[in-house]
Structures are given as structure tokens and as C-alpha cells.
Amino acid sequence: MARTAPSAHAPEAGYLTPATQPDATQYLPPPPQAGSARQAADDHAFESTRGLKGGARWALATSDADLRIEALLRSFSCAAGFTIDASKAPRLAALIHRMDVSEIPDMRNAKASWHRARPFVGNTQSICTEDDRSHLATSGAYPSGHTLLGWSTALVLAELLPDRSTEILQRGRVFGESRIVCGVHWASDVLEGYMTGAGDIAAMHGNPAFRADLDAARTELEGLRHEAPKPNPQACTIEHDAAVHSPL
């Protein structure tokens, strides 16, 4: 599921300005070329994950495709050790939303620059979000925007909950890998999505408003973690298995 539709009113302000927005087209390598070792690795990852259709990992990839803030934060509940309910963490939700607003220009610029075709284009292989097939077929693959936001969220949550940083970063990796399992991104799209997310978050730290919002979200999360219910153990087992069996 896509991000929340942009407002018809004036554009929302992000944490980055044209002067501070990193340009992924300048620091990322170009997508793999046909016949290269990188493309062969991408082909293998796509083909080998088609057999996951219908299983628990496929279902997780389908769930991870939902980029609504409430779904995105909930997906990190097992990693955090408590259920992250966006309705009970409005400052955190606002932070993640504004991060997303900040990152969209860089993502769209990079996708438009390379306009790489997605792995399912030109074949009939299954993807986990069939309803989005037509839309995704016209959208550039490189780098992965889902991975960018997922990894950015993981970096921020790891900073806010440092005692859970290992688990949170692991879940951020799995979140990106879900795009490979889903069949809508090449492995290299995902790898460079991690890099793009890290670059944008690093630049955001130069903004005092971002740092202030981080502090507010930290205080909010510390209160929530002591009263929020524990996450579903079965869901946590599936996520752990996904981490152990990486498609990369």
C-alpha cells in the first residue's frame, strides 16, 4: 500500500532544504548493467524467491508493503519489545511522517533519473501486491523507496531505543528484503535503498527541528514501552525466521 496521498494545499515542509538534500544520483552507483555479475545476483534473488509465494515469508512481505505510518510503526513492535501503536505515539508518528516528506524528493529524483524496470516487468511471475502491478510497472525501481523509509525508520528507532538497536536494525533489513520477496524490487534496489535512507537521515540530523522532534519522540516512547502490550509471539517468530533466511 502506498504512502498517504499528498495534500492538495501547499507542500508540507520536511527537515531538508534544497541546500541540505543529498542527491542520490550523485553518490549511488548506477543500476547493474545487463550481463554483469551484479545483475546476475539480482536475477538469482528474484527467481529464488518466487517459490515463497503462499508462505509465511510471503505474507510478511505483503504486510511490509503497507507504508501507512500506523502499519510501518507496528511492524517494528517485535523488534522494540512492545507494541508500537501510532495512535498512542503521535509525536513519533509525526516525526516519521515528516521524515517521509523529506525523503520523497530524493527518491523520486533518483527513480526518474534511472527509471529502471522492475523484475516482474515483461514476465508473468507473481508479486505479493498484484493490485499494484500496473502502477508499479510504470514506476522506477532504483532505489527502493519502501526500503528507504523502512531503513530510515529503523535508524531512528534504534537511536530512540538503543537497548533494542540490534533487533530494530535487523527488522529494518528484513523490511527492505521484503521487497525482494514481494518481487517488486531487485536486490540491488534494496541495497541502495538502505544507503539512501542512511544518507537522508544523516543530513536530517543537521536540522535543529529534527533533533527536537527526536527528543520528544524519545520521551513519548519511554512512557509507552512500560504500558504497551507485548507483540504477538507468532509474528515475532516469523520475523526472526525471515532474518535468518535472507534472500541476499
Side-chain angles (χ1 to χ4, degrees), residues 12 15 69-70 73 82-99 156-157 160 212-225 227:
E12 295 179 80
Y15 293 115
I69 299 299
E70 58 269 27
L73 289 176
F82 60 94
T83 300
I84 304 179
D85 183 343
S87 67
K88 296 180 179 179
R91 292 180 181 274
L92 175 63
L95 169 67
I96 300 300
H97 174 71
R98 192 171 176 187
M99 284 164 44
V156 164
L157 289 175
L160 299 179
D213 288 347
L214 275 175
D215 289 339
R218 180 180 294 107
T219 300
E220 184 177 68
L221 269 185
E222 281 302 320
L224 183 63
R225 76 187 304 181
E227 59 185 42

Side-chain angles (χ1 to χ4, degrees), residues 2-25:
R3 294 166 165 84
T4 303
S7 169
H9 303 294
E12 295 179 80
Y15 293 115
L16 297 170
T17 68
T20 61
Q21 175 77 65
D23 183 353
T25 66

Side-chain angles (χ1 to χ4, degrees), residues 70-232:
E70 58 269 27
L72 175 63
L73 289 176
R74 192 184 315 117
S75 71
F76 282 91
S77 294
C78 289
F82 60 94
T83 300
I84 304 179
D85 183 343
S87 67
K88 296 180 179 179
R91 292 180 181 274
L92 175 63
L95 169 67
I96 300 300
H97 174 71
R98 192 171 176 187
M99 284 164 44
D100 187 24
V101 169
S102 305
E103 293 176 330
I104 285 175
D106 192 25
M107 175 194 71
R108 288 179 175 170
N109 182 49
K111 284 178 176 290
S113 177
W114 284 301
H115 203 69
R116 186 187 194 190
R118 294 175 186 262
F120 64 84
V121 173
N123 59 68
T124 59
Q125 294 276 28
S126 296
I127 64 174
C128 79
T129 53
E130 286 291 345
D131 289 347
D132 289 336
R133 180 181 282 267
S134 296
H135 165 69
L136 291 173
T138 64
S139 169
Y142 188 89
S144 166
H146 273 70
T147 302
L148 189 164
L149 181 57
W151 188 245
S152 297
T153 301
L155 291 174
V156 164
L157 289 175
E159 183 170 347
L160 299 179
L161 300 168
D163 58 308
R164 301 290 297 181
S165 59
T166 296
E167 293 86 351
I168 289 168
L169 294 171
Q170 182 185 76
R171 182 65 177 100
R173 170 174 63 83
V174 168
F175 193 92
E177 290 173 351
S178 282
R179 303 307 282 166
I180 303 169
V181 173
C182 194
V184 296
H185 275 293
W186 302 102
S188 56
D189 301 337
V190 169
L191 291 172
E192 303 310 339
Y194 297 139
M195 182 180 290
T196 309
D200 284 346
I201 291 298
M204 285 184 218
H205 273 84
N207 185 321
F210 176 71
R211 298 195 301 271
D213 288 347
L214 275 175
D215 289 339
R218 180 180 294 107
T219 300
E220 184 177 68
L221 269 185
E222 281 302 320
L224 183 63
R225 76 187 304 181
H226 297 298
E227 59 185 42
K230 296 294 183 183
N232 184 302

